[in-house]
Amino acid sequence: MEMKFFNPKSVSPSEIVHMGRMYSSSFSSFRHFGVKLSPQFCSCKGSAPKVSYSNNIYLSKEAIDGGDIVAAETCVYRINGTTGASSNLLSRETRVLDAVDDQYGGVVVDPEKLPANPSAFGHILHYSLSHWKKKGKKGIWLKLPVERSDLVPAAVKEGFEYHHAERGYVMLTYWIPEGPCMLPANASHQVGVGGFVINDKYEVLVVQEKHCAPPSAGLWKIPTGFILEAEEIFTGAVREVKEETGIDTEFVEVIAFRHAHNVAFQKSDLFFICMLRPLSSQIIVDDFEIHAAKWMPLVEFVKQPLIQEDCMFKKIIDICIARLGKRYCGLSAHHLVSKFDGKPSSLYYNVTEDPNFNCIGD
Amino acid sequence: MEMKFFNPKSVSPSEIVHMGRMYSSSFSSFRHFGVKLSPQFCSCKGSAPKVSYSNNIYLSKEAIDGGDIVAAETCVYRINGTTGASSNLLSRETRVLDAVDDQYGGVVVDPEKLPANPSAFGHILHYSLSHWKKKGKKGIWLKLPVERSDLVPAAVKEGFEYHHAERGYVMLTYWIPEGPCMLPANASHQVGVGGFVINDKYEVLVVQEKHCAPPSAGLWKIPTGFILEAEEIFTGAVREVKEETGIDTEFVEVIAFRHAHNVAFQKSDLFFICMLRPLSSQIIVDDFEIHAAKWMPLVEFVKQPLIQEDCMFKKIIDICIARLGKRYCGLSAHHLVSKFDGKPSSLYYNVTEDPNFNCIGD
């Protein structure tokens, strides 16, 4: 049993490879550990990092006898070690958590090899931090799956902070060096889309929402919604219009976007207004969220007091009308892959088929 | 002591107002609880919600005697209640957590009035869920400050899931109704900026990073970085250029933006390429993150093999050159406040001083 703890090969190469895969989707961020983030054409850098195995070694004698709290605690355990589990405890107290190094002097703890017992985890984590400090490590990343939530209090007790959480896990971090924490930030934005759909009779596709805040009660508005995880902006706009009204459309351009702050969960918000070309005319209302939907003459749509009174609504509609008159050009979507990260992505820029087409004046 | 638990006024109106304030920044999101999100011109809706106090009452006799597990557990406590704390335990087991209702049939637990003891918390939470189910509540929001991380395991045990986390807290949620969870999603994007700065000698401001992934080793690139919390895109671009090179600039336009997915922490990434006008020429390199910075003739910059070989780099530079030749128009930033949420925000759209200016052809 103890051999398991003393065996330097307790993580096999195949397991390391597995861990590399396990973390691969996060490594584009992990590659920034300990350095200020500096995007290329996305906010994270190029190719996948080399994952080197952080030896699951024991602290040397001087570390154990050293004046630090870890050593002290370890000694206490040695002296007071009682019950049949004492030798096991000892071995637990004196091992370092299984982890992989990242390219930036950080350490990523293996969430699949966490000690079973929260108190043992607390001691091993304490001991590991002392080990990593001696090794000059920077950021420590501790991903605790929801089924290991019993370990959260011990991690917080050791000084870990919440970094972010998703349904299945909470990520905690510990910044070892003196000075400000240089770990990458959590996601900062939510992204919404609005679909401006106008037909050849100059009728706009509008909806009235079932659940709407007082200011927009009774307003006929364009279909809007959030984009889904990993969804394209143009896809999200087409999907929202289809869901709310049953109308099929094709994406033309991002006409404008709005940036606002301290919206949901104090995060910022990017809202993209998309011009869409209708491919069908038969409206099927989504009863769940939409009270009513119809094709409304553009003139009537613009005349709505709520729009006339609101500078932002008005400006956006002015832009859409200018676009219809080819006096405006928005940003169209172009599928491109950069060699620097090999990621398929959408580059939005300004293109027109008409070389004589003029942009709107202010 | 027990009176505290039995007193329906255990949350005073002033405390409710306080809680309203406490949650106000989140309520723009909370207003979406239980309904599919549908942004106006940001991804959350208008004005602040009315916060009504969710009575801190006890379950009625039929609820206690009812067949549900809560009642059963409560009875067990009544029968087995031992030690001096039993009456206290009893009162604890039979109270509902202090909380406020949201406008969408949800409940927001008051993080300042959580039971001191994790096991008591577990029972009260269990009991509260049963109460909220009977009341037909939808989404339950449980914000646990980092100093109450001891309550996380009990919440997870009761079926709560992680929703998101920030340094100071973890937010857990529980969706009561049958069918898919309709609670708003966590932030989905990170936002980066790049500053294309070119002077009247057609020299581009370029940097070589200290920590860069192999593909871009030796590349002279434009300064890039993440925008800060609640920072404007144009402000972020100007700040990054100043930090990395010491050059003062003014924002001209967002030239293009890139949307990529599964980048950091599996989140999506929006990267905005900004054209900036230089206001100074003296370079002061940021030694911490930048290896070197200089003004590089545009021709040399474009000739770099890494740029010539990469379709995305090349396209973006083509666009910047077109913009210099006034054959392209990007999106400029305009400060606007919409009546619908009263938020000061930036609307990015396409404007040019030159009415005869033509957009680039593809």
Side-chain angles (χ1 to χ4, degrees):
Chain A
M1 178 58 183
E2 276 195 276
M3 276 313 292
K4 182 187 165 222
F5 294 105
F6 282 94
N7 180 1
K9 292 196 177 64
S10 62
V11 172
S12 71
S14 64
E15 282 170 307
I16 296 161
V17 172
H18 163 68
M19 287 169 67
R21 273 201 304 274
M22 189 172 66
Y23 290 120
S24 59
S25 58
S26 309
F27 265 130
S28 54
S29 158
F30 286 3
R31 265 168 290 120
H32 292 293
F33 293 2
V35 298
K36 182 162 167 300
L37 299 178
S38 191
Q40 208 63 261
F41 285 136
C42 75
S43 308
C44 279
K45 290 219 195 73
S47 62
K50 287 181 194 64
V51 175
S52 65
Y53 174 56
S54 164
N55 288 327
N56 180 10
I57 56 131
Y58 291 79
L59 296 193
S60 60
K61 184 162 184 321
E62 67 270 21
I64 290 168
D65 300 343
D68 61 53
I69 300 152
V70 182
E73 275 198 7
T74 313
C75 295
V76 169
Y77 270 92
R78 283 175 169 173
I79 297 154
N80 301 349
T82 54
T83 82
S86 60
S87 64
N88 211 330
L89 254 177
L90 166 62
S91 58
R92 283 217 185 93
E93 301 328 316
T94 54
R95 67 175 273 243
V96 174
L97 286 168
D98 290 312
V100 291
D101 292 342
D102 66 51
Q103 278 193 334
Y104 292 87
V107 172
V108 183
V109 175
D110 180 358
E112 294 190 341
K113 298 191 171 190
L114 298 162
N117 169 313
S119 79
F121 169 74
H123 290 291
I124 297 167
L125 183 60
H126 190 111
Y127 204 78
S128 303
L129 282 171
S130 154
H131 171 68
W132 292 323
K133 280 174 190 169
K134 288 183 171 66
K135 291 277 179 185
K137 296 298 180 186
K138 294 175 179 174
I140 312 301
W141 295 78
L142 176 63
K143 185 180 191 173
L144 296 178
V146 68
E147 52 279 7
R148 295 315 313 275
S149 64
D150 58 325
L151 304 184
V152 171
V156 169
K157 186 161 168 284
E158 289 304 320
F160 275 77
E161 291 181 325
Y162 296 127
H163 182 275
H164 70 280
E166 297 297 328
R167 185 169 287 180
Y169 72 90
V170 60
M171 178 74 83
L172 297 105
T173 56
Y174 188 105
W175 181 248
I176 291 175
E178 293 301 314
C181 172
M182 298 300 290
L183 296 176
N186 189 359
S188 56
H189 284 65
Q190 277 155 319
V191 175
V193 288
F196 186 84
V197 185
I198 188 157
N199 64 21
D200 48 19
K201 294 180 232 148
Y202 272 56
E203 295 170 322
V204 185
L205 181 61
V206 292
V207 299
Q208 275 183 340
E209 289 172 349
K210 277 192 171 166
H211 318 271
C212 67
S216 52
L219 175 72
W220 289 98
K221 60 185 282 292
I222 61 173
T224 57
F226 280 106
I227 64 173
L228 304 174
E229 187 179 338
E231 186 178 41
E232 299 301 328
I233 289 163
F234 57 86
T235 316
V238 168
R239 177 188 48 76
E240 280 293 338
V241 168
K242 177 70 176 178
E243 282 177 9
E244 295 190 2
T245 69
I247 297 295
D248 297 303
T249 59
E250 68 181 352
F251 173 81
V252 179
E253 281 174 4
V254 167
I255 293 298
F257 67 88
R258 183 203 190 191
H259 196 198
H261 304 293
N262 297 311
V263 182
F265 311 116
Q266 292 162 287
K267 297 290 186 175
S268 294
D269 188 285
L270 277 162
F271 181 78
F272 294 86
I273 300 102
C274 302
M275 178 162 278
L276 306 175
R277 189 175 294 121
L279 301 175
S280 68
S281 58
Q282 178 75 52
I283 290 172
I284 304 152
V285 173
D286 166 19
D287 290 335
F288 183 74
E289 60 172 310
I290 299 299
H291 171 64
K294 65 177 182 180
W295 290 100
M296 187 182 212
L298 179 59
V299 186
E300 273 182 49
F301 178 60
V302 177
K303 271 189 187 159
Q304 293 184 97
L306 282 168
I307 287 175
Q308 286 298 320
E309 292 160 11
D310 190 77
C311 59
M312 186 162 303
F313 268 90
K314 210 170 174 319
K315 186 70 204 176
I316 288 169
I317 289 164
D318 287 349
I319 293 168
C320 291
I321 293 169
R323 177 60 181 85
L324 290 171
K326 295 216 160 196
R327 289 172 288 105
Y328 184 86
C329 48
L331 306 182
S332 48
H334 308 266
H335 184 82
L336 284 171
V337 179
S338 171
K339 278 189 171 181
F340 287 81
D341 61 7
K343 284 190 180 296
S345 54
S346 301
L347 187 66
Y348 289 78
Y349 58 90
N350 191 328
V351 165
T352 173
E353 309 72 33
D354 172 7
N356 303 318
F357 150 132
N358 293 329
C359 277
I360 190 171
D362 208 2
Chain B
M1 178 57 183
E2 276 194 275
M3 275 313 291
K4 182 186 166 220
F5 295 106
F6 282 94
N7 180 359
K9 292 197 179 65
S10 63
V11 171
S12 72
S14 64
E15 281 170 308
I16 297 163
V17 172
H18 164 69
M19 287 170 65
R21 272 201 304 275
M22 188 171 66
Y23 290 119
S24 58
S25 59
S26 309
F27 265 131
S28 54
S29 159
F30 286 2
R31 265 170 289 119
H32 292 293
F33 294 1
V35 298
K36 183 161 166 300
L37 299 179
S38 190
Q40 207 66 257
F41 285 135
C42 76
S43 307
C44 280
K45 292 219 194 74
S47 62
K50 288 180 193 63
V51 176
S52 64
Y53 175 56
S54 164
N55 289 328
N56 180 10
I57 54 133
Y58 291 80
L59 296 192
S60 59
K61 185 164 184 319
E62 68 269 21
I64 290 168
D65 299 344
D68 61 50
I69 301 153
V70 182
E73 276 196 9
T74 314
C75 294
V76 169
Y77 270 92
R78 286 179 168 169
I79 296 153
N80 300 349
T82 54
T83 83
S86 60
S87 64
N88 211 330
L89 253 178
L90 166 60
S91 59
R92 282 215 185 96
E93 300 329 315
T94 54
R95 68 175 272 242
V96 174
L97 287 167
D98 289 312
V100 290
D101 293 342
D102 65 49
Q103 276 191 334
Y104 292 87
V107 172
V108 183
V109 175
D110 180 358
E112 294 189 343
K113 299 192 169 189
L114 298 162
N117 169 315
S119 80
F121 169 74
H123 290 290
I124 297 167
L125 184 59
H126 190 109
Y127 203 77
S128 303
L129 282 171
S130 153
H131 171 69
W132 292 322
K133 281 173 190 169
K134 288 183 172 64
K135 290 276 179 186
K137 295 299 179 186
K138 293 175 178 174
I140 312 300
W141 295 78
L142 177 63
K143 184 180 192 174
L144 296 178
V146 69
E147 53 279 5
R148 296 314 314 275
S149 64
D150 59 324
L151 304 184
V152 171
V156 169
K157 185 162 168 285
E158 288 303 320
F160 275 78
E161 292 181 326
Y162 296 126
H163 182 275
H164 70 280
E166 297 296 329
R167 184 168 287 179
Y169 71 91
V170 60
M171 178 73 83
L172 296 104
T173 55
Y174 189 104
W175 181 248
I176 291 176
E178 293 300 314
C181 172
M182 298 300 290
L183 296 175
N186 189 358
S188 56
H189 283 65
Q190 277 155 320
V191 175
V193 288
F196 186 83
V197 185
I198 188 157
N199 64 20
D200 49 18
K201 294 180 232 149
Y202 273 57
E203 295 170 321
V204 185
L205 181 62
V206 291
V207 299
Q208 274 183 339
E209 289 172 349
K210 277 192 170 165
H211 320 272
C212 66
S216 52
L219 175 71
W220 289 98
K221 60 185 282 290
I222 62 173
T224 57
F226 279 106
I227 64 173
L228 305 175
E229 188 179 336
E231 186 178 41
E232 299 301 328
I233 289 163
F234 56 85
T235 316
V238 167
R239 176 187 49 77
E240 280 293 339
V241 167
K242 177 69 176 179
E243 281 177 9
E244 295 189 3
T245 68
I247 298 295
D248 297 305
T249 59
E250 67 181 355
F251 174 81
V252 179
E253 280 175 4
V254 168
I255 294 297
F257 67 87
R258 184 203 189 193
H259 196 198
H261 304 293
N262 297 310
V263 182
F265 312 116
Q266 291 161 287
K267 296 290 186 175
S268 294
D269 188 285
L270 277 162
F271 180 78
F272 294 86
I273 300 102
C274 302
M275 179 161 277
L276 306 175
R277 188 175 294 120
L279 301 175
S280 69
S281 57
Q282 177 74 53
I283 290 172
I284 303 151
V285 173
D286 166 20
D287 290 336
F288 183 74
E289 60 172 309
I290 300 299
H291 171 65
K294 65 176 182 179
W295 291 100
M296 186 182 214
L298 179 58
V299 185
E300 273 181 50
F301 179 60
V302 176
K303 271 188 186 157
Q304 292 185 99
L306 283 168
I307 286 175
Q308 286 298 320
E309 292 160 12
D310 190 77
C311 58
M312 187 163 302
F313 267 90
K314 211 169 172 317
K315 186 70 205 177
I316 288 169
I317 289 164
D318 287 347
I319 293 169
C320 292
I321 292 170
R323 177 61 181 84
L324 290 171
K326 296 221 163 189
R327 290 171 289 105
Y328 185 85
C329 50
L331 306 182
S332 48
H334 307 267
H335 185 82
L336 283 171
V337 179
S338 172
K339 277 190 171 181
F340 286 80
D341 60 9
K343 285 190 179 297
S345 55
S346 301
L347 188 67
Y348 289 79
Y349 58 90
N350 192 328
V351 165
T352 173
E353 309 72 33
D354 172 8
N356 303 317
F357 148 132
N358 293 329
C359 276
I360 189 172
D362 209 2

